[in-house]
Amino acid sequence: MLSAKTTLLKSTPTLLSKRMQLRCFSHLPLTIPIKLPNGLEFEQPTGLFINNKNVPSKQGKTFEVINPSTEDEICHIYEGREDDVDIAVKAASDAFNNGSWSTIDPIYRGQALYKLAELIEKDKEIIASIESLDNGKAINSARGDVELVVNYLKSSAGMANKLDGRLIDSGSNYFNYTKREPLGVCGQIIPWNFPLLMWAWKIAPALITGNTVVLKTAESTPLSALYAAKYIPEAGIPPGVVNIVSGFGKIVGEAMTSHPLIKKIAFTGSTATGKHIYQNAAASLKKVTLELGGKSPNIIFADANLKKAVQNVITGIYYNSGEVCCAGSRVYVQESIYDELIEEIKAASEAVKVGDPFDETTFQGAQTSQMQLNKILKYVEIGKNEGAQLITGGERVGKKGYFVKPTIFGGVQEDMRIVKEEIFGPVVTISKFKTLDEVVQMANDSEYGLAAGIHTSNINTATKVADRLKAGTVWINTYNDFHCNVPFGGFNASGLGREMGTEALENYLQSKAVRCRLED
């Protein structure tokens, strides 16, 4: 993917050469058997997915995929290059232009998406296990991801009847109407923190609206998307409608964002890379949606249910090992309960089970890469040097695997880097506030605006604060609580456009107006 990780890869070639080595294995089988730590076995596709077939890359290059829990190699995957992007785009363009998908009755597109959801649902335990193996997340979190995938595909299937245009009255001498049409070939670049969920968030709205897709998986987590793609032909989706090119951002991502036949780019990843993509895409006037970084505030008022608030803080920052763009990484506690909450959150953090993702009692698995682990530990040192109080955590767990203790900083100043910058890991800062106005000002003092949390028993306080927060999603008395019909996306540096809900459809449609003069 094009992300903060990709940006770092450009500046650390020695690390790239050690852990993500490119090799020429033209003889690499297109599927390989893998036995999972829980005893399940499956055949992992290794090729690119083009025209409903698993194919090798043109140059035969491959790259290594690492298990972040053990640091061992899982397998090699074929690495796409610019010529592979051209082949995938041509397949997608041909599929769009022949009308086998773009012009059929939307109800049939809905039926195919629903069938895809059912096929994934039948295989959900293997798919969740692949996600845990490849990403390092706890198996229960991975199961939750697969459930969200299934529900979103089914929900998108039901949106086939949301694609209508409208009639416009301009007097009896004219017949005016609009129709909403697909854009064409859509390029989609997904991140490594929710590999399969982001795959679904991207392809579902594109497909139901009649578009075709060329998707780039994240280089560190390509396995689940390639595995799930095997169900696309079985679901009745024609060749060329969905194409997957695994590879690196600076090669595949760059080729996609500048390709003349790609009409729209959807990206999830870092704000810095999102800006770069936006500039690249602007040269050919592509439509662009960006779901970017965050530094989300999580606000606890004195009248909140404190037990539930503490649990929502834990879910807000340690879920998915803290590798969540909307993580509640800035906690604000009303001063009358600050000391009590600090102790409660500390105790709850230290009770979080960190370790083997396939252990059913694990809540926080591994960070996805050595690079991400190093980044988190670097920010711990930055926090200490800035004078923040390390309340708990801040250390690596064990010597094998990319594990880190849940970490809390108190005594922070709002201008500290650990408060301002996205760490993307299980690190939270806790600040105190007095008044509603004060906390709103503190919460909004950020370049980001992806999400926020409010904890209070007073509905007036909740709605008043929600209205004033500059965030695309506001959770009240909950956190990291997603539903397939509720749109998700950010304000400010957190992005453009929305995922999920009917709002997601607008990203993949364009309106055509037809004005017909009637004879007198």
Side-chain angles (χ1 to χ4, degrees):
M1 65 180 259
L2 284 166
S3 68
K5 178 175 168 45
T6 303
T7 304
L8 287 168
L9 284 175
K10 293 179 181 179
S11 62
T12 54
T14 56
L15 184 58
L16 173 61
S17 65
K18 289 179 181 177
R19 300 310 300 166
M20 301 289 285
Q21 296 174 3
L22 303 181
R23 301 177 186 175
C24 186
F25 285 155
S26 58
H27 61 278
L28 181 69
L30 288 173
T31 62
I32 58 171
I34 293 179
K35 185 172 183 178
L36 292 155
N38 56 10
L40 297 176
E41 299 181 28
F42 71 102
E43 290 287 326
Q44 173 63 49
T46 62
L48 314 181
F49 184 78
I50 298 175
N51 267 329
N52 280 4
K53 294 180 180 178
N54 190 25
V55 298
S57 58
K58 291 296 290 183
Q59 298 184 30
K61 294 182 182 296
T62 69
F63 62 91
E64 185 182 33
V65 181
I66 298 297
N67 179 343
S69 301
T70 64
E71 304 182 47
D72 296 327
E73 177 185 304
I74 299 172
C75 63
H76 274 73
I77 295 292
Y78 277 102
E79 185 227 346
R81 311 286 284 191
E82 294 91 344
D83 48 3
D84 299 297
V85 173
D86 287 337
I87 294 168
V89 171
K90 184 180 187 305
S93 182
D94 289 347
F96 182 80
N97 291 330
N98 69 28
S100 63
W101 185 256
S102 59
T103 63
I104 63 172
D105 187 334
I107 195 169
Y108 296 119
R109 297 199 291 261
Q111 288 172 347
L113 275 183
Y114 201 92
K115 178 66 172 176
L116 179 61
E118 289 183 320
L119 292 167
I120 290 172
E121 190 170 26
K122 287 181 181 178
D123 209 7
K124 60 185 179 182
E125 188 62 19
I126 282 183
I127 295 174
S129 299
I130 294 170
E131 201 80 328
S132 287
L133 178 75
D134 198 15
N135 169 272
K137 66 178 65 190
I139 186 64
N140 285 317
S141 292
R143 290 179 183 130
D145 289 359
V146 177
E147 183 178 358
L148 288 169
V149 166
V150 169
N151 289 342
Y152 185 52
L153 290 173
K154 289 180 178 179
S155 174
S156 297
M159 291 183 185
N161 62 351
K162 305 290 186 183
L163 308 178
D164 296 334
R166 62 191 179 98
L167 293 175
I168 303 169
D169 186 355
S170 66
S172 60
N173 291 331
Y174 287 90
F175 172 52
N176 309 284
Y177 65 92
T178 65
K179 58 182 300 189
R180 297 198 289 173
E181 297 183 348
L183 303 172
V185 181
C186 296
Q188 302 182 319
I189 302 168
I190 61 173
W192 42 258
N193 56 334
F194 290 97
L196 192 67
L197 183 59
M198 296 301 101
W199 175 83
W201 279 18
K202 294 293 186 286
I203 70 167
L207 296 190
I208 196 63
T209 48
N211 297 279
T212 58
V213 165
V214 175
L215 180 142
K216 190 191 91 63
T217 58
E219 56 264 32
S220 58
T221 55
L223 301 185
S224 59
L226 291 173
Y227 181 85
K230 74 176 188 175
Y231 292 124
I232 286 172
E234 191 174 345
I237 299 172
V241 173
V242 176
N243 306 276
I244 300 175
V245 181
S246 302
F248 292 86
K250 63 182 179 181
I251 299 172
V252 175
E254 290 286 317
M256 288 171 59
T257 58
S258 59
H259 202 290
L261 293 182
I262 291 181
K263 305 302 181 183
K264 183 253 166 44
I265 290 288
F267 167 74
T268 297
S270 76
T271 296
T273 305
K275 290 177 180 178
H276 175 73
I277 286 173
Y278 203 22
Q279 291 171 341
N280 261 21
S284 53
L285 297 178
K286 299 186 196 309
K287 192 170 185 177
V288 177
T289 52
L290 305 168
E291 199 267 282
L292 306 176
K295 192 70 178 177
S296 300
N298 202 357
I299 302 167
I300 305 173
F301 287 92
D303 64 351
N305 180 319
L306 299 188
K307 182 177 179 180
K308 290 182 179 179
V310 168
Q311 185 54 55
N312 287 329
V313 168
I314 299 302
T315 302
I317 190 60
Y318 303 134
Y319 167 67
N320 208 60
S321 303
E323 295 173 342
V324 184
C325 51
C326 56
S329 53
R330 292 186 291 147
V331 171
Y332 293 98
V333 179
Q334 201 154 25
E335 65 176 4
S336 63
I337 59 168
Y338 179 82
D339 291 338
E340 177 185 358
L341 257 289
I342 282 280
E343 291 305 313
E344 292 290 335
I345 295 171
K346 177 178 182 290
S349 296
E350 292 174 348
V352 168
K353 175 70 176 294
V354 181
D356 178 9
F358 286 90
D359 183 335
E360 295 287 345
T361 65
T362 293
F363 182 78
Q364 182 183 310
Q367 309 307 134
T368 302
S369 68
Q370 177 74 58
M371 195 168 294
Q372 193 60 26
L373 175 66
N374 291 346
K375 177 185 175 184
I376 293 164
L377 296 177
K378 179 181 177 181
Y379 269 104
V380 170
E381 293 307 309
I382 289 171
K384 291 177 182 178
N385 293 335
E386 288 180 316
Q389 177 193 1
L390 179 61
I391 293 173
T392 191
E395 299 175 349
R396 183 173 183 172
V397 178
K399 296 181 179 180
K400 191 78 168 176
Y402 311 133
F403 300 97
V404 64
K405 289 183 179 180
T407 302
I408 300 173
F409 278 104
V412 298
Q413 302 298 318
E414 293 303 296
D415 61 350
M416 289 180 174
R417 289 181 63 187
I418 59 170
V419 178
K420 290 295 186 185
E421 298 175 12
E422 185 179 39
I423 299 172
F424 216 64
V427 180
V428 65
T429 64
I430 304 181
S431 307
K432 66 175 68 174
F433 71 92
K434 291 182 180 180
T435 67
L436 184 152
D437 288 340
E438 180 187 19
V439 76
V440 168
Q441 182 179 1
M442 295 165 76
N444 287 337
D445 186 18
S446 173
E447 67 172 316
Y448 299 108
L450 190 53
I454 302 168
H455 304 275
T456 177
S457 60
N458 187 323
I459 190 63
N460 293 321
T461 298
T463 54
K464 185 182 294 185
V465 175
D467 287 346
R468 293 176 62 184
L469 291 177
K470 297 175 183 177
T473 294
V474 179
W475 286 295
I476 297 174
N477 295 328
T478 187
Y479 207 93
N480 276 337
D481 193 346
F482 297 94
H483 190 278
C484 54
N485 291 329
V486 179
F488 178 78
F491 290 4
N492 305 325
S494 289
L496 306 167
R498 293 295 179 267
E499 311 274 8
M500 299 193 296
T502 56
E503 287 81 354
L505 303 183
E506 299 304 323
N507 302 331
Y508 295 93
L509 291 166
Q510 54 193 345
S511 292
K512 176 182 286 183
V514 180
R515 179 166 165 83
C516 176
R517 183 176 177 84
L518 303 176
E519 295 295 333
D520 294 333

